[in-house]
Amino acid sequence: MGKFIVMGQQEDLHTQHMLEQLKLKTDDVYHFQSHDFPSKAQLSLDLISEQGHAITTVCGTKILLNDIEAVYWRNFSGVSDEATKNNVGSIESLSAYDSMATIRTWMQLGNDTQWFNSWAAYQYHQEKPRQLLKVKQLGCNIPKTYIGNELTEIKKAFLTFKKAIFKPVYGGAYTEWLTSGHLVKEHAEAALRKSPITVQEYIPGTNIRTFVIDEKVVSVEVNSESVDFREDNLSSMHCVNTPIHIQSQALAITKALRLKWTAIDWRKSPDGHYYFLEANPSPMFLATEERTELPITKWLVEAMLNSRH
């Protein structure tokens, strides 16, 4: 058995949970926080012998990259000099970009390390229009969507949809209702000069979250009055059976977006149609386990331990 890395912020609950659970199965588990590189951790890419690619953790343990069987990637916390990247052209800025390029190379090295999940999967999530287009090409339903910063088109979408929501194109904020107050010309044009937005038709119905792990497909219904159930700490969950074609779509989405595991969010309309919202490459799952008793941790740990078999 090879070595395993849990990559995430030290204080993150899921990072600590996966470290603890993997250590119950093997002694070769190590923590890596991207923010420790290059100030406290080392990363070597040896293009001379191509055998010396290695990472050295904060505690001083050197690990050959080819010996890493799997990485659970919970979150990315930048690099040591991340805050200096905005100072374009400075030595500090160049250092930060050098560090990021080195880490990204490791994450896309193409060796046998299995990433849960990969940089490619992460990019699909951060470029949500691309993710939506890819999923639509698979034949899945998606809500009617406008992405951009043309106020006339946003108003047209707002008037066309019975109810409309808006959210960031990249992520990092919750979904909100779109109201006429948001479309006041002076305010809206100022905001749209800063960034585009995603406007979607609101699909009435229920929230369904489908976890896909190592060919296992399980779904929960999330009952919440909030437009974005992620901010509702009082939401309730229970396991549900989804139609065979939705399970097949979930597997196809996972493969197309180059995911090893994921949580896919759907809206199920009153007439039983499922609409894809997003596929998360690093979903939170502890609350789901607690409320439904689904053994997500067990499945994820097993998938990592058996990733090369």
Side-chain angles (χ1 to χ4, degrees), residues 142-177:
I142 67 169
K144 293 176 182 176
T145 303
Y146 169 81
I147 299 164
N149 67 332
E150 191 169 336
L151 183 56
T152 302
E153 295 301 318
I154 293 171
K155 287 182 175 179
K156 186 187 299 183
F158 177 70
L159 293 173
T160 301
F161 304 155
K162 291 182 179 179
K163 284 186 177 181
I165 57 175
F166 75 98
K167 53 189 176 182
V169 178
Y170 177 85
Y174 291 121
T175 300
E176 299 181 44
W177 291 111

PDB file of all heavy atoms in Angstrom, residues 142-177:
ATOM      1  N   ILE A 142     -31.248  21.399 -17.451  1.00  0.00           N
ATOM      2  CA  ILE A 142     -30.723  22.467 -16.606  1.00  0.00           C
ATOM      3  C   ILE A 142     -31.751  23.604 -16.602  1.00  0.00           C
ATOM      4  O   ILE A 142     -32.543  23.718 -17.548  1.00  0.00           O
ATOM      5  CB  ILE A 142     -29.352  22.983 -17.089  1.00  0.00           C
ATOM      6  CG1 ILE A 142     -29.478  23.691 -18.447  1.00  0.00           C
ATOM      7  CG2 ILE A 142     -28.318  21.860 -17.150  1.00  0.00           C
ATOM      8  CD1 ILE A 142     -28.223  24.457 -18.852  1.00  0.00           C
ATOM      9  N   PRO A 143     -31.780  24.420 -15.552  1.00  0.00           N
ATOM     10  CA  PRO A 143     -32.707  25.553 -15.569  1.00  0.00           C
ATOM     11  C   PRO A 143     -32.366  26.516 -16.700  1.00  0.00           C
ATOM     12  O   PRO A 143     -31.203  26.593 -17.137  1.00  0.00           O
ATOM     13  CB  PRO A 143     -32.468  26.214 -14.200  1.00  0.00           C
ATOM     14  CG  PRO A 143     -31.792  25.185 -13.369  1.00  0.00           C
ATOM     15  CD  PRO A 143     -30.993  24.349 -14.309  1.00  0.00           C
ATOM     16  N   LYS A 144     -33.351  27.245 -17.186  1.00  0.00           N
ATOM     17  CA  LYS A 144     -33.066  28.308 -18.156  1.00  0.00           C
ATOM     18  C   LYS A 144     -32.108  29.298 -17.490  1.00  0.00           C
ATOM     19  O   LYS A 144     -32.356  29.756 -16.374  1.00  0.00           O
ATOM     20  CB  LYS A 144     -34.355  29.006 -18.572  1.00  0.00           C
ATOM     21  CG  LYS A 144     -35.297  28.099 -19.362  1.00  0.00           C
ATOM     22  CD  LYS A 144     -36.612  28.807 -19.680  1.00  0.00           C
ATOM     23  CE  LYS A 144     -37.561  27.874 -20.421  1.00  0.00           C
ATOM     24  NZ  LYS A 144     -38.895  28.509 -20.656  1.00  0.00           N
ATOM     25  N   THR A 145     -31.019  29.611 -18.193  1.00  0.00           N
ATOM     26  CA  THR A 145     -29.920  30.330 -17.562  1.00  0.00           C
ATOM     27  C   THR A 145     -29.383  31.420 -18.473  1.00  0.00           C
ATOM     28  O   THR A 145     -29.211  31.208 -19.681  1.00  0.00           O
ATOM     29  CB  THR A 145     -28.770  29.355 -17.217  1.00  0.00           C
ATOM     30  OG1 THR A 145     -29.263  28.308 -16.381  1.00  0.00           O
ATOM     31  CG2 THR A 145     -27.630  30.072 -16.501  1.00  0.00           C
ATOM     32  N   TYR A 146     -29.102  32.584 -17.881  1.00  0.00           N
ATOM     33  CA  TYR A 146     -28.364  33.642 -18.573  1.00  0.00           C
ATOM     34  C   TYR A 146     -27.121  33.943 -17.749  1.00  0.00           C
ATOM     35  O   TYR A 146     -27.200  34.106 -16.532  1.00  0.00           O
ATOM     36  CB  TYR A 146     -29.192  34.922 -18.736  1.00  0.00           C
ATOM     37  CG  TYR A 146     -28.333  36.075 -19.215  1.00  0.00           C
ATOM     38  CD1 TYR A 146     -28.021  36.213 -20.560  1.00  0.00           C
ATOM     39  CD2 TYR A 146     -27.783  36.984 -18.308  1.00  0.00           C
ATOM     40  CE1 TYR A 146     -27.189  37.242 -21.006  1.00  0.00           C
ATOM     41  CE2 TYR A 146     -26.957  38.011 -18.747  1.00  0.00           C
ATOM     42  CZ  TYR A 146     -26.657  38.132 -20.091  1.00  0.00           C
ATOM     43  OH  TYR A 146     -25.822  39.138 -20.516  1.00  0.00           O
ATOM     44  N   ILE A 147     -25.970  34.042 -18.430  1.00  0.00           N
ATOM     45  CA  ILE A 147     -24.719  34.395 -17.762  1.00  0.00           C
ATOM     46  C   ILE A 147     -24.091  35.547 -18.529  1.00  0.00           C
ATOM     47  O   ILE A 147     -23.858  35.454 -19.741  1.00  0.00           O
ATOM     48  CB  ILE A 147     -23.741  33.196 -17.730  1.00  0.00           C
ATOM     49  CG1 ILE A 147     -24.371  32.032 -16.953  1.00  0.00           C
ATOM     50  CG2 ILE A 147     -22.407  33.592 -17.096  1.00  0.00           C
ATOM     51  CD1 ILE A 147     -23.679  30.702 -17.171  1.00  0.00           C
ATOM     52  N   GLY A 148     -23.841  36.635 -17.850  1.00  0.00           N
ATOM     53  CA  GLY A 148     -23.230  37.780 -18.518  1.00  0.00           C
ATOM     54  C   GLY A 148     -23.452  39.064 -17.747  1.00  0.00           C
ATOM     55  O   GLY A 148     -23.897  39.065 -16.595  1.00  0.00           O
ATOM     56  N   ASN A 149     -23.170  40.185 -18.393  1.00  0.00           N
ATOM     57  CA  ASN A 149     -23.295  41.485 -17.723  1.00  0.00           C
ATOM     58  C   ASN A 149     -24.034  42.521 -18.571  1.00  0.00           C
ATOM     59  O   ASN A 149     -23.831  43.720 -18.420  1.00  0.00           O
ATOM     60  CB  ASN A 149     -21.903  42.021 -17.337  1.00  0.00           C
ATOM     61  CG  ASN A 149     -21.049  42.383 -18.543  1.00  0.00           C
ATOM     62  OD1 ASN A 149     -21.206  41.808 -19.614  1.00  0.00           O
ATOM     63  ND2 ASN A 149     -20.136  43.330 -18.357  1.00  0.00           N
ATOM     64  N   GLU A 150     -24.895  42.022 -19.476  1.00  0.00           N
ATOM     65  CA  GLU A 150     -25.695  42.930 -20.301  1.00  0.00           C
ATOM     66  C   GLU A 150     -27.046  43.136 -19.621  1.00  0.00           C
ATOM     67  O   GLU A 150     -27.876  42.220 -19.569  1.00  0.00           O
ATOM     68  CB  GLU A 150     -25.864  42.355 -21.709  1.00  0.00           C
ATOM     69  CG  GLU A 150     -26.443  43.364 -22.687  1.00  0.00           C
ATOM     70  CD  GLU A 150     -26.365  42.880 -24.130  1.00  0.00           C
ATOM     71  OE1 GLU A 150     -25.510  42.037 -24.434  1.00  0.00           O
ATOM     72  OE2 GLU A 150     -27.185  43.362 -24.929  1.00  0.00           O
ATOM     73  N   LEU A 151     -27.264  44.331 -19.100  1.00  0.00           N
ATOM     74  CA  LEU A 151     -28.447  44.595 -18.277  1.00  0.00           C
ATOM     75  C   LEU A 151     -29.745  44.341 -19.033  1.00  0.00           C
ATOM     76  O   LEU A 151     -30.709  43.817 -18.459  1.00  0.00           O
ATOM     77  CB  LEU A 151     -28.404  46.037 -17.755  1.00  0.00           C
ATOM     78  CG  LEU A 151     -29.533  46.451 -16.815  1.00  0.00           C
ATOM     79  CD1 LEU A 151     -29.630  45.526 -15.617  1.00  0.00           C
ATOM     80  CD2 LEU A 151     -29.354  47.904 -16.364  1.00  0.00           C
ATOM     81  N   THR A 152     -29.788  44.674 -20.309  1.00  0.00           N
ATOM     82  CA  THR A 152     -31.004  44.449 -21.098  1.00  0.00           C
ATOM     83  C   THR A 152     -31.385  42.971 -21.110  1.00  0.00           C
ATOM     84  O   THR A 152     -32.564  42.612 -20.961  1.00  0.00           O
ATOM     85  CB  THR A 152     -30.805  44.944 -22.542  1.00  0.00           C
ATOM     86  OG1 THR A 152     -30.462  46.332 -22.531  1.00  0.00           O
ATOM     87  CG2 THR A 152     -32.072  44.736 -23.360  1.00  0.00           C
ATOM     88  N   GLU A 153     -30.389  42.097 -21.279  1.00  0.00           N
ATOM     89  CA  GLU A 153     -30.641  40.662 -21.316  1.00  0.00           C
ATOM     90  C   GLU A 153     -31.038  40.129 -19.940  1.00  0.00           C
ATOM     91  O   GLU A 153     -31.867  39.214 -19.835  1.00  0.00           O
ATOM     92  CB  GLU A 153     -29.404  39.923 -21.829  1.00  0.00           C
ATOM     93  CG  GLU A 153     -29.050  40.232 -23.279  1.00  0.00           C
ATOM     94  CD  GLU A 153     -30.194  39.875 -24.225  1.00  0.00           C
ATOM     95  OE1 GLU A 153     -30.808  38.813 -24.042  1.00  0.00           O
ATOM     96  OE2 GLU A 153     -30.462  40.674 -25.149  1.00  0.00           O
ATOM     97  N   ILE A 154     -30.446  40.688 -18.903  1.00  0.00           N
ATOM     98  CA  ILE A 154     -30.801  40.268 -17.542  1.00  0.00           C
ATOM     99  C   ILE A 154     -32.252  40.647 -17.240  1.00  0.00           C
ATOM    100  O   ILE A 154     -33.018  39.852 -16.679  1.00  0.00           O
ATOM    101  CB  ILE A 154     -29.844  40.915 -16.511  1.00  0.00           C
ATOM    102  CG1 ILE A 154     -28.433  40.347 -16.695  1.00  0.00           C
ATOM    103  CG2 ILE A 154     -30.333  40.672 -15.085  1.00  0.00           C
ATOM    104  CD1 ILE A 154     -27.368  41.052 -15.886  1.00  0.00           C
ATOM    105  N   LYS A 155     -32.654  41.838 -17.648  1.00  0.00           N
ATOM    106  CA  LYS A 155     -34.041  42.260 -17.448  1.00  0.00           C
ATOM    107  C   LYS A 155     -34.996  41.374 -18.245  1.00  0.00           C
ATOM    108  O   LYS A 155     -36.082  41.028 -17.773  1.00  0.00           O
ATOM    109  CB  LYS A 155     -34.209  43.727 -17.864  1.00  0.00           C
ATOM    110  CG  LYS A 155     -33.593  44.721 -16.886  1.00  0.00           C
ATOM    111  CD  LYS A 155     -33.837  46.154 -17.354  1.00  0.00           C
ATOM    112  CE  LYS A 155     -33.345  47.154 -16.326  1.00  0.00           C
ATOM    113  NZ  LYS A 155     -33.562  48.556 -16.771  1.00  0.00           N
ATOM    114  N   LYS A 156     -34.589  41.009 -19.449  1.00  0.00           N
ATOM    115  CA  LYS A 156     -35.424  40.146 -20.282  1.00  0.00           C
ATOM    116  C   LYS A 156     -35.625  38.792 -19.602  1.00  0.00           C
ATOM    117  O   LYS A 156     -36.737  38.254 -19.560  1.00  0.00           O
ATOM    118  CB  LYS A 156     -34.762  39.956 -21.648  1.00  0.00           C
ATOM    119  CG  LYS A 156     -35.609  39.196 -22.652  1.00  0.00           C
ATOM    120  CD  LYS A 156     -34.832  38.889 -23.932  1.00  0.00           C
ATOM    121  CE  LYS A 156     -34.382  40.156 -24.620  1.00  0.00           C
ATOM    122  NZ  LYS A 156     -33.678  39.840 -25.908  1.00  0.00           N
ATOM    123  N   ALA A 157     -34.534  38.241 -19.052  1.00  0.00           N
ATOM    124  CA  ALA A 157     -34.631  36.964 -18.347  1.00  0.00           C
ATOM    125  C   ALA A 157     -35.519  37.103 -17.115  1.00  0.00           C
ATOM    126  O   ALA A 157     -36.362  36.238 -16.844  1.00  0.00           O
ATOM    127  CB  ALA A 157     -33.234  36.487 -17.939  1.00  0.00           C
ATOM    128  N   PHE A 158     -35.362  38.193 -16.388  1.00  0.00           N
ATOM    129  CA  PHE A 158     -36.146  38.432 -15.174  1.00  0.00           C
ATOM    130  C   PHE A 158     -37.643  38.475 -15.487  1.00  0.00           C
ATOM    131  O   PHE A 158     -38.469  37.924 -14.744  1.00  0.00           O
ATOM    132  CB  PHE A 158     -35.695  39.745 -14.524  1.00  0.00           C
ATOM    133  CG  PHE A 158     -36.489  40.134 -13.313  1.00  0.00           C
ATOM    134  CD1 PHE A 158     -36.382  39.432 -12.128  1.00  0.00           C
ATOM    135  CD2 PHE A 158     -37.355  41.228 -13.359  1.00  0.00           C
ATOM    136  CE1 PHE A 158     -37.112  39.791 -11.005  1.00  0.00           C
ATOM    137  CE2 PHE A 158     -38.082  41.606 -12.257  1.00  0.00           C
ATOM    138  CZ  PHE A 158     -37.965  40.885 -11.069  1.00  0.00           C
ATOM    139  N   LEU A 159     -38.001  39.111 -16.599  1.00  0.00           N
ATOM    140  CA  LEU A 159     -39.401  39.229 -16.976  1.00  0.00           C
ATOM    141  C   LEU A 159     -39.951  37.922 -17.561  1.00  0.00           C
ATOM    142  O   LEU A 159     -41.143  37.642 -17.468  1.00  0.00           O
ATOM    143  CB  LEU A 159     -39.571  40.363 -17.994  1.00  0.00           C
ATOM    144  CG  LEU A 159     -39.300  41.778 -17.463  1.00  0.00           C
ATOM    145  CD1 LEU A 159     -39.320  42.793 -18.599  1.00  0.00           C
ATOM    146  CD2 LEU A 159     -40.305  42.155 -16.388  1.00  0.00           C
ATOM    147  N   THR A 160     -39.068  37.124 -18.154  1.00  0.00           N
ATOM    148  CA  THR A 160     -39.485  35.862 -18.765  1.00  0.00           C
ATOM    149  C   THR A 160     -39.760  34.792 -17.719  1.00  0.00           C
ATOM    150  O   THR A 160     -40.730  34.032 -17.819  1.00  0.00           O
ATOM    151  CB  THR A 160     -38.405  35.357 -19.743  1.00  0.00           C
ATOM    152  OG1 THR A 160     -38.194  36.342 -20.756  1.00  0.00           O
ATOM    153  CG2 THR A 160     -38.825  34.037 -20.383  1.00  0.00           C
ATOM    154  N   PHE A 161     -38.894  34.738 -16.682  1.00  0.00           N
ATOM    155  CA  PHE A 161     -39.030  33.706 -15.658  1.00  0.00           C
ATOM    156  C   PHE A 161     -40.116  34.089 -14.659  1.00  0.00           C
ATOM    157  O   PHE A 161     -40.258  35.250 -14.302  1.00  0.00           O
ATOM    158  CB  PHE A 161     -37.713  33.521 -14.897  1.00  0.00           C
ATOM    159  CG  PHE A 161     -36.526  33.210 -15.780  1.00  0.00           C
ATOM    160  CD1 PHE A 161     -35.245  33.513 -15.357  1.00  0.00           C
ATOM    161  CD2 PHE A 161     -36.687  32.611 -17.022  1.00  0.00           C
ATOM    162  CE1 PHE A 161     -34.145  33.231 -16.147  1.00  0.00           C
ATOM    163  CE2 PHE A 161     -35.596  32.324 -17.826  1.00  0.00           C
ATOM    164  CZ  PHE A 161     -34.315  32.640 -17.393  1.00  0.00           C
ATOM    165  N   LYS A 162     -40.873  33.113 -14.194  1.00  0.00           N
ATOM    166  CA  LYS A 162     -41.868  33.388 -13.151  1.00  0.00           C
ATOM    167  C   LYS A 162     -41.178  33.856 -11.876  1.00  0.00           C
ATOM    168  O   LYS A 162     -41.628  34.773 -11.202  1.00  0.00           O
ATOM    169  CB  LYS A 162     -42.698  32.134 -12.875  1.00  0.00           C
ATOM    170  CG  LYS A 162     -43.626  31.743 -14.016  1.00  0.00           C
ATOM    171  CD  LYS A 162     -44.455  30.510 -13.658  1.00  0.00           C
ATOM    172  CE  LYS A 162     -45.395  30.147 -14.792  1.00  0.00           C
ATOM    173  NZ  LYS A 162     -46.198  28.930 -14.477  1.00  0.00           N
ATOM    174  N   LYS A 163     -40.104  33.181 -11.542  1.00  0.00           N
ATOM    175  CA  LYS A 163     -39.255  33.593 -10.436  1.00  0.00           C
ATOM    176  C   LYS A 163     -37.815  33.434 -10.901  1.00  0.00           C
ATOM    177  O   LYS A 163     -37.495  32.500 -11.644  1.00  0.00           O
ATOM    178  CB  LYS A 163     -39.484  32.738  -9.184  1.00  0.00           C
ATOM    179  CG  LYS A 163     -40.748  33.055  -8.424  1.00  0.00           C
ATOM    180  CD  LYS A 163     -40.793  32.241  -7.117  1.00  0.00           C
ATOM    181  CE  LYS A 163     -42.012  32.592  -6.283  1.00  0.00           C
ATOM    182  NZ  LYS A 163     -42.040  31.811  -5.011  1.00  0.00           N
ATOM    183  N   ALA A 164     -36.932  34.336 -10.452  1.00  0.00           N
ATOM    184  CA  ALA A 164     -35.541  34.275 -10.875  1.00  0.00           C
ATOM    185  C   ALA A 164     -34.615  34.353  -9.672  1.00  0.00           C
ATOM    186  O   ALA A 164     -34.923  35.006  -8.667  1.00  0.00           O
ATOM    187  CB  ALA A 164     -35.230  35.404 -11.857  1.00  0.00           C
ATOM    188  N   ILE A 165     -33.502  33.672  -9.788  1.00  0.00           N
ATOM    189  CA  ILE A 165     -32.456  33.731  -8.770  1.00  0.00           C
ATOM    190  C   ILE A 165     -31.175  34.195  -9.452  1.00  0.00           C
ATOM    191  O   ILE A 165     -31.057  34.149 -10.683  1.00  0.00           O
ATOM    192  CB  ILE A 165     -32.221  32.358  -8.112  1.00  0.00           C
ATOM    193  CG1 ILE A 165     -31.856  31.300  -9.168  1.00  0.00           C
ATOM    194  CG2 ILE A 165     -33.440  31.919  -7.310  1.00  0.00           C
ATOM    195  CD1 ILE A 165     -31.489  29.955  -8.613  1.00  0.00           C
ATOM    196  N   PHE A 166     -30.232  34.665  -8.645  1.00  0.00           N
ATOM    197  CA  PHE A 166     -28.927  34.986  -9.210  1.00  0.00           C
ATOM    198  C   PHE A 166     -27.833  34.532  -8.265  1.00  0.00           C
ATOM    199  O   PHE A 166     -28.037  34.389  -7.061  1.00  0.00           O
ATOM    200  CB  PHE A 166     -28.810  36.487  -9.525  1.00  0.00           C
ATOM    201  CG  PHE A 166     -28.617  37.380  -8.327  1.00  0.00           C
ATOM    202  CD1 PHE A 166     -27.353  37.828  -7.962  1.00  0.00           C
ATOM    203  CD2 PHE A 166     -29.709  37.796  -7.569  1.00  0.00           C
ATOM    204  CE1 PHE A 166     -27.178  38.666  -6.858  1.00  0.00           C
ATOM    205  CE2 PHE A 166     -29.549  38.630  -6.475  1.00  0.00           C
ATOM    206  CZ  PHE A 166     -28.265  39.071  -6.121  1.00  0.00           C
ATOM    207  N   LYS A 167     -26.660  34.263  -8.852  1.00  0.00           N
ATOM    208  CA  LYS A 167     -25.521  33.772  -8.082  1.00  0.00           C
ATOM    209  C   LYS A 167     -24.244  34.094  -8.850  1.00  0.00           C
ATOM    210  O   LYS A 167     -24.287  34.447 -10.041  1.00  0.00           O
ATOM    211  CB  LYS A 167     -25.652  32.263  -7.844  1.00  0.00           C
ATOM    212  CG  LYS A 167     -25.879  31.426  -9.092  1.00  0.00           C
ATOM    213  CD  LYS A 167     -26.212  29.985  -8.701  1.00  0.00           C
ATOM    214  CE  LYS A 167     -26.551  29.129  -9.902  1.00  0.00           C
ATOM    215  NZ  LYS A 167     -26.920  27.755  -9.543  1.00  0.00           N
ATOM    216  N   PRO A 168     -23.093  33.966  -8.197  1.00  0.00           N
ATOM    217  CA  PRO A 168     -21.833  34.267  -8.883  1.00  0.00           C
ATOM    218  C   PRO A 168     -21.551  33.270 -10.005  1.00  0.00           C
ATOM    219  O   PRO A 168     -22.042  32.138  -9.990  1.00  0.00           O
ATOM    220  CB  PRO A 168     -20.774  34.139  -7.775  1.00  0.00           C
ATOM    221  CG  PRO A 168     -21.528  34.167  -6.494  1.00  0.00           C
ATOM    222  CD  PRO A 168     -22.880  33.613  -6.785  1.00  0.00           C
ATOM    223  N   VAL A 169     -20.766  33.693 -10.966  1.00  0.00           N
ATOM    224  CA  VAL A 169     -20.338  32.805 -12.043  1.00  0.00           C
ATOM    225  C   VAL A 169     -19.269  31.853 -11.526  1.00  0.00           C
ATOM    226  O   VAL A 169     -19.252  30.670 -11.868  1.00  0.00           O
ATOM    227  CB  VAL A 169     -19.796  33.624 -13.239  1.00  0.00           C
ATOM    228  CG1 VAL A 169     -19.289  32.701 -14.348  1.00  0.00           C
ATOM    229  CG2 VAL A 169     -20.873  34.558 -13.772  1.00  0.00           C
ATOM    230  N   TYR A 170     -18.393  32.351 -10.669  1.00  0.00           N
ATOM    231  CA  TYR A 170     -17.258  31.568 -10.156  1.00  0.00           C
ATOM    232  C   TYR A 170     -17.624  30.795  -8.903  1.00  0.00           C
ATOM    233  O   TYR A 170     -17.238  29.656  -8.716  1.00  0.00           O
ATOM    234  CB  TYR A 170     -16.097  32.524  -9.863  1.00  0.00           C
ATOM    235  CG  TYR A 170     -14.870  31.897  -9.255  1.00  0.00           C
ATOM    236  CD1 TYR A 170     -13.898  31.315 -10.064  1.00  0.00           C
ATOM    237  CD2 TYR A 170     -14.653  31.914  -7.879  1.00  0.00           C
ATOM    238  CE1 TYR A 170     -12.751  30.755  -9.525  1.00  0.00           C
ATOM    239  CE2 TYR A 170     -13.510  31.354  -7.333  1.00  0.00           C
ATOM    240  CZ  TYR A 170     -12.559  30.786  -8.153  1.00  0.00           C
ATOM    241  OH  TYR A 170     -11.435  30.232  -7.606  1.00  0.00           O
ATOM    242  N   GLY A 171     -18.399  31.391  -8.038  1.00  0.00           N
ATOM    243  CA  GLY A 171     -18.733  30.769  -6.761  1.00  0.00           C
ATOM    244  C   GLY A 171     -18.299  31.655  -5.611  1.00  0.00           C
ATOM    245  O   GLY A 171     -17.850  32.786  -5.795  1.00  0.00           O
ATOM    246  N   GLY A 172     -18.438  31.127  -4.399  1.00  0.00           N
ATOM    247  CA  GLY A 172     -17.982  31.864  -3.233  1.00  0.00           C
ATOM    248  C   GLY A 172     -19.067  32.645  -2.519  1.00  0.00           C
ATOM    249  O   GLY A 172     -18.800  33.313  -1.518  1.00  0.00           O
ATOM    250  N   ALA A 173     -20.299  32.591  -3.025  1.00  0.00           N
ATOM    251  CA  ALA A 173     -21.412  33.278  -2.360  1.00  0.00           C
ATOM    252  C   ALA A 173     -22.679  32.462  -2.564  1.00  0.00           C
ATOM    253  O   ALA A 173     -22.757  31.616  -3.466  1.00  0.00           O
ATOM    254  CB  ALA A 173     -21.589  34.693  -2.920  1.00  0.00           C
ATOM    255  N   TYR A 174     -23.673  32.716  -1.711  1.00  0.00           N
ATOM    256  CA  TYR A 174     -24.911  31.959  -1.786  1.00  0.00           C
ATOM    257  C   TYR A 174     -25.829  32.489  -2.878  1.00  0.00           C
ATOM    258  O   TYR A 174     -25.709  33.625  -3.341  1.00  0.00           O
ATOM    259  CB  TYR A 174     -25.637  32.014  -0.440  1.00  0.00           C
ATOM    260  CG  TYR A 174     -24.937  31.249   0.662  1.00  0.00           C
ATOM    261  CD1 TYR A 174     -24.524  31.889   1.835  1.00  0.00           C
ATOM    262  CD2 TYR A 174     -24.700  29.886   0.533  1.00  0.00           C
ATOM    263  CE1 TYR A 174     -23.884  31.186   2.850  1.00  0.00           C
ATOM    264  CE2 TYR A 174     -24.061  29.169   1.538  1.00  0.00           C
ATOM    265  CZ  TYR A 174     -23.659  29.833   2.694  1.00  0.00           C
ATOM    266  OH  TYR A 174     -23.025  29.127   3.688  1.00  0.00           O
ATOM    267  N   THR A 175     -26.780  31.652  -3.269  1.00  0.00           N
ATOM    268  CA  THR A 175     -27.800  32.032  -4.236  1.00  0.00           C
ATOM    269  C   THR A 175     -28.810  32.964  -3.582  1.00  0.00           C
ATOM    270  O   THR A 175     -29.165  32.800  -2.419  1.00  0.00           O
ATOM    271  CB  THR A 175     -28.513  30.767  -4.749  1.00  0.00           C
ATOM    272  OG1 THR A 175     -27.543  29.912  -5.364  1.00  0.00           O
ATOM    273  CG2 THR A 175     -29.606  31.107  -5.739  1.00  0.00           C
ATOM    274  N   GLU A 176     -29.285  33.953  -4.346  1.00  0.00           N
ATOM    275  CA  GLU A 176     -30.268  34.919  -3.831  1.00  0.00           C
ATOM    276  C   GLU A 176     -31.408  35.080  -4.837  1.00  0.00           C
ATOM    277  O   GLU A 176     -31.256  34.799  -6.022  1.00  0.00           O
ATOM    278  CB  GLU A 176     -29.616  36.289  -3.594  1.00  0.00           C
ATOM    279  CG  GLU A 176     -28.494  36.299  -2.577  1.00  0.00           C
ATOM    280  CD  GLU A 176     -27.934  37.703  -2.382  1.00  0.00           C
ATOM    281  OE1 GLU A 176     -28.735  38.652  -2.280  1.00  0.00           O
ATOM    282  OE2 GLU A 176     -26.705  37.845  -2.361  1.00  0.00           O
ATOM    283  N   TRP A 177     -32.549  35.568  -4.322  1.00  0.00           N
ATOM    284  CA  TRP A 177     -33.650  35.927  -5.212  1.00  0.00           C
ATOM    285  C   TRP A 177     -33.250  37.165  -6.014  1.00  0.00           C
ATOM    286  O   TRP A 177     -32.633  38.088  -5.483  1.00  0.00           O
ATOM    287  CB  TRP A 177     -34.907  36.254  -4.415  1.00  0.00           C
ATOM    288  CG  TRP A 177     -35.532  35.082  -3.719  1.00  0.00           C
ATOM    289  CD1 TRP A 177     -35.584  34.848  -2.378  1.00  0.00           C
ATOM    290  CD2 TRP A 177     -36.221  33.992  -4.338  1.00  0.00           C
ATOM    291  NE1 TRP A 177     -36.248  33.685  -2.107  1.00  0.00           N
ATOM    292  CE2 TRP A 177     -36.651  33.126  -3.294  1.00  0.00           C
ATOM    293  CE3 TRP A 177     -36.509  33.659  -5.661  1.00  0.00           C
ATOM    294  CZ2 TRP A 177     -37.349  31.955  -3.545  1.00  0.00           C
ATOM    295  CZ3 TRP A 177     -37.201  32.483  -5.918  1.00  0.00           C
ATOM    296  CH2 TRP A 177     -37.623  31.659  -4.862  1.00  0.00           C
TER     297      TRP A 177
END
